[in-house]
């Protein structure tokens, strides 16, 4: 293909600048025929221009520019496209001719942009449009929202659709979209009526006015003498009209207000904008289009355009605008009013962003009525109140508002419906679960929340506005925390991440209120959940914050302080600092015995964690003795089915196996798996963990294929219960691959290890102990299958030594594996020397009776 050419006069200038520019773009587009418009637009949007900006390019607009239907408003969009194509082609057309220079493109664009094509005046239609009513003026920085606009136009053109319903929260831009569609539809000699439909009287008045205009224009008989009659005449005319018509019912507050007034007729369509999602607006012949928040790109584009007038050389960066848009939840009304406030007050974006983060600032001050939103007569702080008043009438008195208050302190999205139907939630809302559900549906019908039957979502700014009106924040915090604790205690599966998100939101909103009589029990769940997910660093950070708060509020001798110290020590141990963790747990256990007593549940839990970390330090024999005593004492004090007793039995079985009695470990795990299944259920995570650990000892007793079957069942249960990326699932998948390799299926095992490594890196990070363990065994079994792997295993071993310590059992195991690969690679003498050195460390750290120590002894004997 030759260099991009242009349609020109003989003097070298384009005959039609717009056509010439479109032809140049078309030939530029042809340089990347295999790339879609979406790919090119996305690449263009990622280009950093000389100014440092990135500009959004819409794929649909790209097609319009190439086809000559429109010209870009901003040359930087053209420049971004040119640079994107240059990057995709290496900077030349077909690898030979260079692309036109930026200066040439600028001249082409400017000529096309300034060109005005002379068009003959349109002939007047046989019947002129009749327009009644006043749509809102275009917003100053109107966004096209091309996807929604296209959906509205498609619905209006669909013969099966009689009504388009734009539904969404107040301030989301429904009226602007309807007004744009109203203007686009005109020109066919029809009747176009814009109705402000906030009340029945407003509809009657608008209909009567429209009928009078229609009767005067068309000399219709039956003029009518009052608004009711004239409205009836308009409705009758719409049914039998011969002219096309479009009626927009803007801001329908109560669908019941339109009883007998819905515009119906074969020749016309209607557009309804409303917060409501009632059955009355969800009709078979209606197309419902939800109108929500701006996209991230639309938000930044709006703010950049709106703030460009006063900003000048001090214009905020796209990163600052994106951060502000994210903080505002891409809410059109909030973006509009925030921009107005910034312009009026001359506040900088960064300073305003800090104000938003300050919970002491009220929304009424951040979005004041004195800085009105663009084309909207209400503020962010007040727009939810009218909807809340309507919702209150649809449920038990007071229930809808109380439910909205409860939702305001939970996560903005993904809140389980069951959480809002717990006993604590119903008590706060003042009714039964059935009445609480009715209140929730009332909020949904007014677009205050989105309830899909399983989860609930609310905009963060609505939450903040509602919370600012709650006088009983302490009682609200207690009710929300109690509801979370009740549901969490009943759930051990995939619903926990959503509960964790809501606990995090609750702490952020009213965290100070969760320490009134000690730490609320639900806060104990935070560290436990993060540790179970393998997010150990996050667990240590969060528990550290809670511990500092507990010490400040409760004093060093309080039960909750001891519990958090125990959690923090466990997190430290998970990160490889087993000795430090064990030392701290010894201290915590002693203080718990002194302060809480020997039979307190927290004391037993501290003893259990101390024994677990003793195992990590290689002293399984001593830990076994401690666990046996713990089980007897805890069973007597708490009952044999208490979770601490069951988990201690699981740890005891591990110690039996590590001390050399694989048969006892297998029997112990089989028994505890059955008991956990009976107490907690077969799908409970603790039951599945026991089953997974049983698989190891099935294999250690000589049944590798039985181990594979056991692990396969455990992995399937975990993936269904907590997901395939949960840390326990990853560990079970790793162990399944390990025993599959021992069973002789090396090819499948290596493949499973590789998948587990990729998933562990994504879920836990590259230096998490679980990730390193998976990487180590992937390298080892690659080496056993004949692939070069010693260097890779040595690299992982070094990382394990840094993270877990040189004497950690995993470090010792990797050193043994390196010796094995060295022996298989043809260096038996070097392998013997390496294994002899490792064996000495194993005896020192793990003891002579540890299964891994005995395994190394047998292996060395075979080599000798």
């Amino acid at each position: 293909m030759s260099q991009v050419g242009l349609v020109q006069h003989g003097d070298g200038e384009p005959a039609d600048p717009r056509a010439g520019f479109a032809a140049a773009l078309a030939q530029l587009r042809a340089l990347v025929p295999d790339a879609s418009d979406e790919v090119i637009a996305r690449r263009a949007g990622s280009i950093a221009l000389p100014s440092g900006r990135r500009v959004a390019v819409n794929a649909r607009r790209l097609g319009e520019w190439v086809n000559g239907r429109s010209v870009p408003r901003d040359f930087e969009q053209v420049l971004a496209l040119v640079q994107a194509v240059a990057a995709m082609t290496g900077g030349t057309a077909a690898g030979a001719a260079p692309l036109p220079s930026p200066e040439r493109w600028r001249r082409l664009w400017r000529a096309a942009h300034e060109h005005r094509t002379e068009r003959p005046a349109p002939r007047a239609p046989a019947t002129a449009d009749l327009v009644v009513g006043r749509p809102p003026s275009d917003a100053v920085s109107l966004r096209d929202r091309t996807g929604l606009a296209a959906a509205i136009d498609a619905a209006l053109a669909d013969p099966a659709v009689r009504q388009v319903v734009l539904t969404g929260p107040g301030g989301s831009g429904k009226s602007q979209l309807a007004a744009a569609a109203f203007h686009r539809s005109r020109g066919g000699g029809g009747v176009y009526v814009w109705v402000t439909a906030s009340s029945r009287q407003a509809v009657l008045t608008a209909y009567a006015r429209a009928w009078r205009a229609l009767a005067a224009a068309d000399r219709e008989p039956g003029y009518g003498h009052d608004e009711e009659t004239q409205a009836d005449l308009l409705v009758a005319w719409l049914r039998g009209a011969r002219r096309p018509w479009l009626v927009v019912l803007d801001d329908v507050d109560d669908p019941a207000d339109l009883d007998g007034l819905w515009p119906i007729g074969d020749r016309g369509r209607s557009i309804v904008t409303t917060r409501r999602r009632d059955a009355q607006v969800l009709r078979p012949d209606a197309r419902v289009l939800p109108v929500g928040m701006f996209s991230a790109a639309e938000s930044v584009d709006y703010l950049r355009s709106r703030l460009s007038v006063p900003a000048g050389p001090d214009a905020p960066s796209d990163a600052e605008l994106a951060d502000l848009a994210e903080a505002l939840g891409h809410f059109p009304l909030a973006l509009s009013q925030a921009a107005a406030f910034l312009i009026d007050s001359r506040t900088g974006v960064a300073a305003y962003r800090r104000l938003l983060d300050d919970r002491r600032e009220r929304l009424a001050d951040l979005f004041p009525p004195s800085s009105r939103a663009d084309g909207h007569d209400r503020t962010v702080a007040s727009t939810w109140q009218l909807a809340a008043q309507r919702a209150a009438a649809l449920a038990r008195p007071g229930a809808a508002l109380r439910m909205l208050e409860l939702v305001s302190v939970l996560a903005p999205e993904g809140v389980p419906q069951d959480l809002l139907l717990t006993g604590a939630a119903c008590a706060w809302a003042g009714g039964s679960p059935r009445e609480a559900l009715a209140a929730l549906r009332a909020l949904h019908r007014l677009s205050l929340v989105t309830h899909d039957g399983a989860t609930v979502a609310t905009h963060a700014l609505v939450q903040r506005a509602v919370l600012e009106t709650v006088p009983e924040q302490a009682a609200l915090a207690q009710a929300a925390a109690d509801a979370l604790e009740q549901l969490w205690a009943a759930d051990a599966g995939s619903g926990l991440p959503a509960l964790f998100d809501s606990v995090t939101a609750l702490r952020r909103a009213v965290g100070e209120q969760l320490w009134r009589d000690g730490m609320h029990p639900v806060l104990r769940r935070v560290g436990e959940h993060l540790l179970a997910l393998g997010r150990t660093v996050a667990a240590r950070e969060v528990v550290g914050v809670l511990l500092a708060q507990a010490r400040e509020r409760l004093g060093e001798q309080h039960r909750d302080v001891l519990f958090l110290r125990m959690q923090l020590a466990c997190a430290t141990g998970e990160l490889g600092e087993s000795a430090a963790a064990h030392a701290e747990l010894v201290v915590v256990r002693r203080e718990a015995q002194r302060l809480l007593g020997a039979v307190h549940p927290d004391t037993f839990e501290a003893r259990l964690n101390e024994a677990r970390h003793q195992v990590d330090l290689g002293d399984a024999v001593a830990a076994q003795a401690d666990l046996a005593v713990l089980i007897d004492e805890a069973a007597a004090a708490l009952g044999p089915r208490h979770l601490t007793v069951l988990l201690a039995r699981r740890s005891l079985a591990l110690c039996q196996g590590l001390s050399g009695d694989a048969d006892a470990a297998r029997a112990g795990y089989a028994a505890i798996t059955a008991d956990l299944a009976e107490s907690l259920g077969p799908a409970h995570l603790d039951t599945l963990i026991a089953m997974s650990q049983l698989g190891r000892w099935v294999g250690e007793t000589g049944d590798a294929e039985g181990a594979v079957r056991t692990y396969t069942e455990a992995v399937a249960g975990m993936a269904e219960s907590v997901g395939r990326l949960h840390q326990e699932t990853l560990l079970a998948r790793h162990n399944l691959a390990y025993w599959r390799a021992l069973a002789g299926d090396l090819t499948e095992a290596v493949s499973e290890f590789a998948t587990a490594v990729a998933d562990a890196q994504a879920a836990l990070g590259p230096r998490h102990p679980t990730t390193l363990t998976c990487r180590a065994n992937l390298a080892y079994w690659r080496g056993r299958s004949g692939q070069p792997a010693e260097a890779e295993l040595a690299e992982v071993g070094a990382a394990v030594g840094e993270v877990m310590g040189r004497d950690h059992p995993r470090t010792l195991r990797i050193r043994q594996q390196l010796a094995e690969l060295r022996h298989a690679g043809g260096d038996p003498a070097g392998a013997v020397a390496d294994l002899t050195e490792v064996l000495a460390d194993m005896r020192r750290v793990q003891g002579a009776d540890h299964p891994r120590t005995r395994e190394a002894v047998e292996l060395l004997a075979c080599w000798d």
Side-chain angles (χ1 to χ4, degrees), residues 371-585:
S371 293
R372 291 189 58 188
D374 194 2
H376 202 284
D377 59 358
R378 283 189 285 271
T379 68
V380 171
S382 65
T383 190
W384 66 275
Q385 293 174 331
L386 179 61
Q389 292 168 6
R390 281 294 188 188
L394 301 177
R396 184 177 180 273
L401 181 57
R402 300 279 281 186
M403 181 62 72
L404 186 59
E405 292 171 348
L406 187 61
V407 170
S408 74
V409 295
L410 302 175
E413 57 186 20
V415 176
Q417 171 189 276
D418 291 345
L419 175 62
L420 301 173
L421 302 180
T422 57
C426 291
W428 174 259
S432 65
R434 181 176 180 180
E435 290 169 325
L437 181 59
L440 187 59
R441 292 305 298 173
L443 298 175
H444 172 84
R445 289 164 67 181
L446 270 297
S447 296
L448 285 163
V449 306
T450 295
H451 174 226
D452 63 8
T455 62
V456 177
T458 320
H459 196 279
L461 286 180
V462 173
Q463 291 181 303
R464 184 168 174 178
V466 172
L467 184 59
E468 288 180 356
T469 68
V470 177
E472 308 171 72
Q473 291 198 2
L476 172 60
Q478 184 72 31
D482 288 349
L484 284 161
E485 174 64 18
Q486 287 175 6
L487 188 58
W488 202 313
D491 188 353
S494 58
L496 296 186
L499 298 182
F500 173 80
D501 289 344
S502 279
V503 173
T504 302
L506 180 65
R507 289 178 57 214
R508 185 167 53 247
V510 287
E512 294 292 324
Q513 308 295 340
L514 300 177
W515 297 87
R516 295 177 64 81
D517 297 312
M519 183 176 74
H520 192 283
V522 79
L523 295 181
R524 291 185 166 218
R525 308 279 189 180
V526 175
E528 293 174 352
H529 177 70
L530 291 171
L531 285 171
L533 289 177
R535 296 175 57 189
T536 315
V537 174
R540 184 167 64 177
E541 292 175 354
V542 171
V543 173
V545 171
L546 291 173
L547 178 57
Q549 293 174 329
R551 281 173 164 153
E552 179 183 348
R553 292 166 173 80
L554 308 175
E556 192 66 33
Q557 307 298 307
H558 195 277
R559 169 196 176 188
D560 292 330
V561 172
L562 290 176
F563 180 86
L564 291 169
R565 286 175 61 190
M566 178 176 64
Q567 277 196 338
L568 189 60
C570 290
T572 301
E574 288 291 329
L575 289 171
E577 301 176 42
S578 298
H582 180 260
E584 172 66 2
L585 287 167

Side-chain angles (χ1 to χ4, degrees), residues 161-312:
V161 175
R162 288 288 176 264
Q163 186 176 89
V164 179
V165 179
L166 305 180
T167 181
S172 58
K174 303 181 296 295
S175 296
Q176 287 285 335
L177 286 164
F182 184 82
H183 294 309
R184 288 195 303 272
S185 299
R186 292 173 50 189
V191 176
Y192 301 90
V193 183
W194 184 277
V195 179
T196 299
S198 55
S199 68
R200 184 174 182 85
Q201 184 56 53
V203 175
L204 288 171
T205 299
Y207 275 21
R209 182 185 175 202
W211 172 251
R212 292 194 298 270
L214 182 63
D218 290 356
R219 298 181 177 84
E220 290 285 346
Y223 189 87
H225 299 288
D226 57 74
E227 289 187 343
E228 288 271 4
T229 303
Q230 291 167 354
D232 291 342
L233 289 169
L234 178 67
V235 171
W237 182 89
L238 294 174
R239 282 185 175 275
R242 297 179 181 179
R243 295 173 62 180
W245 55 264
L246 175 67
V247 176
V248 176
L249 298 165
D250 185 38
D251 195 21
V252 173
D253 193 24
D254 185 354
D257 288 343
L258 287 161
D259 284 347
L261 297 176
W262 289 104
I264 300 171
D266 292 339
R267 291 285 290 161
R269 301 289 186 271
S270 60
I271 299 175
V272 177
T273 73
T274 182
R275 298 180 183 86
R276 302 293 288 259
R277 292 183 279 198
D278 299 68
Q280 288 173 282
V281 299
L282 305 179
R283 300 144 57 100
D285 60 353
R287 176 78 53 82
V288 179
L289 299 177
V291 179
M293 304 302 108
F294 278 161
S295 68
E298 286 172 335
S299 297
V300 172
D301 196 26
Y302 173 83
L303 287 173
R304 185 193 305 116
S305 174
R306 188 72 178 95
L307 297 175
S308 63
V309 177

